[in-house]
Amino acid sequence: MGASEELEYLKSLVAQLNDKINALEAKAKAPAAKSPAQQLRTILMGPPGAGKGTQAPKIRDDFCVCHLATGDMLREQVAQKTPLGVEAKKIMDAGGLVSDDIMVGMIKDQLENNPQCKNGFVLDGFPRTVPQAQKLDGMLQSRNEKLDSVVQLLIDDQLLISRITGRLIHPSSGRTYHKEFNPPKKPGVDDVTGEKLIQRSDDNVETLRKRLSTYHSQTGPVADYYKNKGLWHGIDAAQSPSLVWDNLRSIFVGRK
C-alpha cells in the first residue's frame, strides 16, 4: 500500500470513528424514554410546608404518573365558591380537616377518570387518617392495584412555622415564594406574570400550630399503619430540595 493509499485509509477510519462518537454522544444526551415498566403508586406524607408541593410534581414528571393533591383540589373548589368550597374554607381556616367522604369521593373520581393516572399516581395530602388509609386499600384492591411505597417527609415544627409564615403564593399557577428564603424578583408580584402574590388565610402562626397538632395526632397513626405493612420510608425534609429528591428517587427506583 502506497503512502497516499494508507493516508486515505486512515482518514476513512477517523471519519467512521467520529461518526460513531457523534452517535454515542447524541444517545447519551437524549432523555430516557418513559415506559409503563416505571409504574409507581405512592403516597407522599408530611406536615404543611414540608415540601410535598415541590417534590410531588417531580415524581409526576419523572415517572409519568398523575399528581393528586387533595389540597389543590379543595382550593379549586374554594376559588369557585361552590357549596363544597364554602364548607371546606371554613374548616381549613379553622385549622381542621375536611371529611372523609369529601376526600374519598375526589380521589376515587380521579383514579377512575383521569387518563394521566394510567401509569400510577402520587397521592399528596391523602390519606390523613387510618380509616382513610383503610378505604384507600379497599379502593385499590377493587381495581386490582396496590401501593408500592409510602414516603413521609420529616421536619421539626418550629422550622416549618418559619417556612410557612413567610410563604407567598401565585393563586392561578400555584407557584410559591418565600419572603426570606425564596423572594420574588419584585416584592409582592409573580416573576412570570407580574400578578399579585397572596398569603393564604391559614398561613399564620396560630392556625398553623393547630394544623400541626392535628397532623401529628391523626396522621402519626397512619405512618404506623404503613410501617406495619412494610411500605413506609422516612426522609429528612430539612435538607435541600435536591437532596430530598435524590432520596425519594432512590426509594422508587430501588423498590422491588
Side-chain angles (χ1 to χ4, degrees), residues 53-110:
T54 298
Q55 301 298 339
K58 296 180 69 130
I59 300 170
R60 174 198 66 202
D61 295 342
D62 204 61
F63 291 89
C64 294
V65 298
C66 61
H67 171 205
L68 303 180
T70 51
D72 289 345
M73 294 178 196
L74 283 171
R75 281 188 283 278
E76 185 178 341
Q77 297 283 338
V78 170
Q80 293 174 358
K81 296 184 178 178
T82 63
L84 170 63
V86 172
E87 179 187 353
K89 187 176 189 305
K90 290 178 185 175
I91 296 169
M92 288 190 292
D93 283 351
L97 297 171
V98 177
S99 74
D100 288 1
D101 288 339
I102 292 173
M103 307 307 295
V104 172
M106 286 193 303
I107 296 293
K108 187 173 186 292
D109 179 70
Q110 287 292 310

Side-chain angles (χ1 to χ4, degrees), residues 103-105 107-109 111-112 126 134-145:
M103 307 307 295
V104 172
I107 296 293
K108 187 173 186 292
D109 179 70
L111 293 182
E112 291 180 350
F126 179 94
Q134 292 168 335
K135 287 182 181 181
L136 177 63
D137 282 347
M139 182 200 307
L140 292 176
Q141 188 173 5
S142 70
R143 293 166 53 83
N144 295 316
E145 296 176 353

